[in-house]
Amino acid sequence: MPDPNGFLRYERRLPARRPVAVRITDWREVYPPAGEELIREQATRCMDCGIPFCHDGCPLGNRIPDWNDLVRTGSWDAAVESLHATNNFPEFTGRLCPAPCEAACVLGLGGQQPVTIKQVEVEIADAAVARGGLNPRPVPASTGRSVAVVGSGPAGLAAAQQLARAGHAVTVYERDDAIGGLLRYGIPDFKLEKQHIDRRLAQLAAEGVQFRTGVNVGVDVTAEELRARHDAVLLACGALQGRDTPETPGRPLRGVHQAMTHLVAANRVVAAAGDGRPAPAVLPDGTPIDAAGRHVVIIGGGDTAADCLGVAHRQGAAGVHQLDLYPEPPHGRDAERDPWPTWPWVLRNYPAHEEGGERVFAVAVQEFVDDGTGQVRGVRIAEVTVERRDGRRIVTALPGSERELPADLVLLAIGFEGTEEQPLLAQFGVTRNARGAVDARPDWQTDADGVFVAGDMHRGASLIVWAIAEGRAAAAAIHSYLGGVGDLPAPVDPARQPLAAR
Ligand SMILES: Cc1cc2nc3c(=O)[nH]c(=O)nc-3n(C[C@H](O)[C@H](O)[C@H](O)COP(=O)(O)OP(=O)(O)OC[C@H]3O[C@@H](n4cnc5c(N)ncnc54)[C@H](O)[C@@H]3O)c2cc1C
Ligand code: SF4
């Protein structure tokens, strides 16, 4: 029986992050393990609500009060089982999810701090490894049906695991040189060390999933060939079309890049060093993949921008400014605008923000300034107001507010415009909608029969937890399309939206 007074006895506490001065000298994860005593104390704060609103915040339908109570009583094996019943990869979400479940925790309604759900999750996920590893669950009998999964991010991998465990032969095709999607080279090691991906891949391989890297579907193998080889296809190619700002004067200057160009290259350098491979030192255009001694300006306020900030400090940047078009958000929930249990608009401080740099809100870049040689020297910014009129965003610069910031390296982290336009789309006969995403029917099929879609490619740039949820749901639909016996879990349908007030 859970402790109904646990939250009155214990404050919310998280393990201390590694000291800034130490962690910016390496690429290791920022958080050390919490330790059993702290995490059992924190799990005790869960009230096991009759109506657990944390469930509504999480698209996976994680059994949060169940595993909180199992951790409270030290029943780790049962907690591992319970967590994996709804989430294929809790070691990813436990480390990386912004935790909409915590925003929806009932404790928040009474002005208390929510349960540290995400920390409990990652401790259970790591306990699974510590207590004997991630045991594969191969199926005894094959269905004789086969599925191609295109793209190896969390959506593709979750679907692959579900389908393999249902007895289908699954092959994952990935154009990159390593499996993992954005988890591999998009998200830096200080947020997710890559051994977590490798352990899971070993489990999937032991369950029969085949991996083909370096295969760009639509180029190296045609859609027609893939359809001939497999009974169904799942497209999980992400939403990697970076937004740009071609109209801003000076955009073509050297040193002005899409954030992902710099970030992925920097993460590859870390990966290569870890494997003892020689690391590439420059981008294809000759730009050094290094912020050492440089003044860096990051434009944007989300995950990508924060990851660029952490990378810039680890590379030894002389200084970093992070620019945001919008005013500084409130530091706590504005209950009028975003009432509990919805996801609130608040100032999000990532660990990278503790490490230095200056955040500048309510400004827009007017020009990237040339040093006279074609290399960026600075960015000219103006203070702005942003309004919505007839659904359109109107940005107005305040006269006389312009100033220049020094910049040798400018990273555009201003969002994504959906899935990339690439040959695979036309070959499969699917189109991008107005948001650049690929629509799914209620059974996750695209306009092409037998071709399914999931993850960011369907939803637009989103979160790992949604990618896993959609991968699981699409796998259930494919299993049923192939005439599989019984139902697989389908936590979301294609129309499901996050819990929001507006
Ligand atoms: C820098 C950054 C940081 C982020 N941080 C977080 C975070 O902290 N927490 C969080 O929840 N979310 C975060 N996200 C979002 C999260 O990473 C994505 O929502 C998630 O990875 C989407 O998963 P996916 O499987 O749909 O696609 P992806 O992970 O994008 O994987 C798609 C894969 O498809 C492959 N592919 C594309 N076309 C082809 C083709 N023709 N043939 C073969 N392969 C192909 C791509 O190479 C890629 O590997 C972050 C995103 C970015 C960019
Ligand atoms: S809403 Fe919070 S307190 Fe209630 S069951 Fe979920 S985690 Fe526990």
Side-chain angles (χ1 to χ4, degrees), residues 46-49 52-54 64-65 68 105-107 115 117:
C46 175
M47 302 181 288
D48 190 16
C49 303
F53 275 86
C54 51
I64 295 164
N68 274 334
C105 174
V106 173
L107 284 179
V115 174
I117 301 170

Side-chain angles (χ1 to χ4, degrees), residues 30-48:
V30 164
Y31 283 98
E36 177 148 358
E37 194 184 334
L38 172 60
I39 212 64
R40 287 182 63 179
E41 170 197 292
Q42 290 300 303
T44 305
R45 296 186 69 242
C46 175
M47 302 181 288
D48 190 16

Side-chain angles (χ1 to χ4, degrees), residues 96 151 153-155 174-175 181-182 191 216-217 307 422 456 462 464:
L96 298 168
E174 170 57 57
R175 66 184 174 188
L182 282 171
K191 277 171 59 180
N216 190 348
V217 175
D307 290 357
Q422 52 167 316
D456 279 8
S462 177
I464 292 159

Side-chain angles (χ1 to χ4, degrees), residues 92-458:
F92 305 155
T93 44
R95 284 179 167 76
L96 298 168
C97 192
C101 54
E102 292 188 11
C105 174
V106 173
L107 284 179
L109 184 58
Q112 296 277 339
Q113 289 293 309
V115 174
T116 57
I117 301 170
K118 174 173 139 156
Q119 192 67 37
V120 175
E121 177 181 27
V122 79
E123 298 293 328
I124 302 172
D126 289 353
V129 174
R131 300 169 83 80
L134 304 171
N135 294 328
R137 296 185 203 165
V139 281
S142 155
T143 60
R145 312 305 300 273
S146 112
V147 183
V149 174
V150 185
S152 69
L157 293 179
Q161 184 164 57
Q162 293 297 98
L163 289 163
R165 286 179 173 178
H168 306 296
V170 181
T171 307
V172 177
Y173 296 87
E174 170 57 57
R175 66 184 174 188
D176 218 330
D177 64 357
I179 296 289
L182 282 171
L183 304 178
R184 177 64 67 180
Y185 295 127
I187 294 178
D189 288 51
F190 56 80
K191 277 171 59 180
L192 179 77
E193 290 176 16
K194 306 309 169 193
Q195 75 265 17
H196 303 298
I197 309 176
D198 297 334
R199 272 195 207 109
R200 255 323 149 181
L201 296 182
Q203 185 194 43
L204 266 72
E207 292 171 353
V209 176
Q210 305 271 325
F211 296 108
R212 301 272 181 275
T213 52
V215 181
N216 190 348
V217 175
V219 177
D220 301 317
V221 53
T222 63
E224 199 182 340
E225 286 166 330
L226 215 63
R227 297 198 71 159
R229 277 184 215 165
H230 302 279
D231 299 305
V233 177
L234 173 65
L235 301 179
C237 301
L240 301 167
Q241 185 68 53
R243 184 167 292 133
D244 212 312
T245 175
E247 71 288 351
T248 306
R251 170 63 185 91
L253 293 174
R254 279 195 316 280
V256 182
H257 301 287
Q258 283 279 343
M260 293 302 282
T261 307
H262 183 83
L263 190 57
V264 168
N267 292 335
R268 281 183 183 280
V269 171
V270 175
D275 296 349
R277 279 180 282 150
V282 291
L283 294 174
D285 72 354
T287 312
I289 307 166
D290 200 355
R294 301 164 91 188
H295 291 282
V296 181
V297 170
I298 302 166
I299 304 173
D303 272 323
T304 308
D307 290 357
C308 288
L309 180 64
V311 165
H313 283 127
R314 280 162 184 74
Q315 291 181 333
V320 189
H321 285 96
Q322 188 189 338
L323 312 184
D324 203 317
L325 193 60
Y326 293 96
E328 184 170 342
H331 292 222
R333 184 192 286 277
D334 174 349
E336 287 286 307
R337 180 195 150 112
D338 304 308
W340 174 91
T342 61
W343 179 244
W345 181 61
V346 293
L347 180 69
R348 301 204 187 272
N349 284 314
Y350 298 83
H353 291 117
E354 290 173 356
E355 295 165 1
E358 187 185 335
R359 292 168 95 169
V360 189
F361 292 95
V363 290
V365 175
Q366 308 298 298
E367 181 190 0
F368 301 108
V369 185
D370 194 340
D371 74 349
T373 70
Q375 159 70 37
V376 68
R377 173 197 83 191
V379 293
R380 194 161 50 79
I381 59 171
E383 291 171 25
V384 294
T385 56
V386 185
E387 302 166 78
R388 286 253 158 220
R389 264 188 243 145
D390 304 327
R392 287 180 55 237
R393 189 172 71 178
I394 312 286
V395 179
T396 311
L398 301 182
S401 68
E402 291 193 5
R403 63 189 164 116
E404 187 176 319
L405 299 174
D408 318 299
L409 178 63
V410 178
L411 301 175
L412 305 176
I414 50 180
F416 294 88
E417 292 182 327
T419 201
E420 295 152 285
E421 190 55 73
Q422 52 167 316
L424 155 153
L425 297 176
Q427 288 181 19
F428 278 110
V430 299
T431 47
R432 297 161 85 232
N433 62 23
R435 295 181 302 109
V438 172
D439 288 328
R441 299 184 223 152
D443 66 356
W444 295 95
Q445 284 189 80
T446 61
D447 289 341
D449 192 44
V451 179
F452 297 72
V453 64
D456 279 8
M457 190 176 190
H458 162 253

Side-chain angles (χ1 to χ4, degrees), residues 472-492:
R472 287 171 70 87
I478 294 170
H479 180 66
S480 144
Y481 172 83
L482 295 176
V485 177
D487 293 328
L488 300 186
V492 289

